[in-house]
Amino acid sequence: EVQLVESGGGLVQPGGSLRLSCAASGFPFSSVGMSWVRQAPGKGLEWVSSINNAGRTSYQDAVRGRFTISRDNAKNTLYLQLNNLKTEDTAIYFCTYANNRGQGTQVTVSS
């Protein structure tokens, strides 16, 4: 059974930072690509970033240079470092594999 458990969200002021984690189990984590998506209040899911099994990364334009995706295959864990956060980054963040995603972690950016 695929399980994805996100953590690390919270309330932060504009310009602040957070590190999100996603603990994965039930599939060969080190062999697959992973992604982060987010859902802002009242909006649909939006792709944020991906990392393939070789460590190649990609980002949507709005977060490139501020967010960093990474993975620790020994720990079956995916990360998303969020720096220089903006109010428009407020959303529930989900890690995804294939058609699976976790319960999400809330990120709120507000002064």
Side-chain angles (χ1 to χ4, degrees):
E1 178 188 4
V2 172
Q3 288 196 339
L4 300 166
V5 181
E6 301 93 339
S7 62
L11 172 63
V12 63
Q13 292 185 342
S17 297
L18 287 171
R19 188 194 196 200
L20 308 184
S21 299
C22 172
S25 62
F27 62 99
F29 179 81
S30 63
S31 300
V32 304
M34 299 289 297
S35 297
W36 287 96
V37 300
R38 66 186 180 184
Q39 186 167 26
K43 297 188 177 181
L45 285 173
E46 173 189 41
W47 173 76
V48 175
S49 179
S50 295
I51 184 168
N52 70 7
N53 61 328
R56 179 173 295 180
T57 60
S58 57
Y59 301 92
Q60 66 150 278
D61 289 346
V63 308
R64 188 176 294 110
R66 300 188 297 119
F67 291 6
T68 303
I69 190 172
S70 62
R71 63 193 301 162
D72 185 335
N73 289 335
K75 295 182 179 180
N76 277 13
T77 301
L78 179 72
Y79 301 101
L80 187 68
Q81 177 69 41
L82 288 63
N83 295 330
N84 191 21
L85 282 159
K86 303 177 180 181
T87 55
E88 54 263 41
D89 295 318
T90 294
I92 302 172
Y93 285 71
F94 303 90
C95 67
T96 70
Y97 159 64
N99 292 321
N100 303 279
R101 58 184 167 102
Q103 84 290 345
T105 187
Q106 175 71 49
V107 172
T108 302
V109 185
S110 175
S111 55

